[in-house]
Amino acid sequence: KPAQTTKAAPQGDVTRKAQDALSSADALYFQGQADAALNVLKPLMDDARISEPVRKEVRNTYNNFSSLFGQYNNGQAAFSRGDKETAFQQWTAFMNKESSLYAGKKSAYTRSISTRVVDEYVALGNDASRKGDHHAAYRHWQKALELGDSVAAKIAIDNANNKAMQLYRQALRL
């Protein structure tokens, strides 16, 4: 019987260490060290000594971090090439995916790009408004508010709502 308990203990120890590694990788990713987080998880993905549920969690976490970091880097590369449209599309998709996977928790990557992306949506909204495309402008400002706390977007939306209310009142008077 003692031999059986010693065999069970190492598997339990390995599984506990894998769970600790998951926590460590999570912290590393959200601090902006995705490469280090991936390096922590990679050796654990196929370790048969780890219980299957924990191994599955390791694989899912690894795949999520890898996918998110790749999307972030694609945006960075596009921005470096001067392709702002592609960069902002990649970054927006990245931030949306990260937010949905991690219940709104923001990584250092999201914090580093959110101001640029929000400012771009505000600028797109302002430009659309100047061109008379008020529906597109409103959508851009709404997107800016979804991605970050933009005072400019709030003001623009409030102004658009006030103008719409004035037009409605004028129409009623007529």
Side-chain angles (χ1 to χ4, degrees), residues 54-139:
V54 174
R55 215 175 1 180
K56 184 177 180 183
E57 187 178 350
V58 167
R59 282 189 213 113
N60 287 341
T61 302
Y62 181 89
N63 292 335
N64 288 341
F65 288 168
S66 179
S67 171
L68 286 167
F69 190 53
Q71 211 167 18
Y72 170 80
N73 283 331
N74 289 341
Q76 290 288 79
F79 192 78
S80 295
R81 290 190 310 267
D83 185 358
K84 283 176 55 175
E85 186 175 333
T86 300
F88 287 106
Q89 286 173 351
Q90 287 289 324
W91 285 337
T92 300
F94 159 78
M95 290 190 296
N96 287 335
K97 185 175 180 181
E98 184 181 81
S99 179
S100 71
L101 285 172
Y102 299 104
K105 187 175 177 184
K106 294 181 179 184
S107 68
Y109 302 110
T110 293
R111 289 190 302 275
S112 75
I113 61 173
S114 65
T115 302
R116 281 189 275 181
V117 174
V118 168
D119 289 348
E120 181 69 13
Y121 275 109
V122 169
L124 288 170
N126 293 342
D127 192 41
S129 179
R130 275 191 295 278
K131 292 177 181 174
D133 189 354
H134 301 291
H135 293 288
Y138 200 86
R139 281 192 307 274

Side-chain angles (χ1 to χ4, degrees), residues 11 14-15 18 43-45 47-55 58:
Q11 183 179 10
V14 173
T15 297
L44 305 173
M45 288 177 50
D47 190 337
R49 297 174 299 163
I50 300 170
S51 70
E52 185 56 35
V54 174
R55 215 175 1 180
V58 167

Side-chain angles (χ1 to χ4, degrees), residues 148-163:
D149 191 24
S150 171
V151 173
K154 284 180 188 175
I155 291 170
I157 286 174
D158 286 344
N159 288 340
N161 287 337
N162 288 337
K163 187 174 182 175

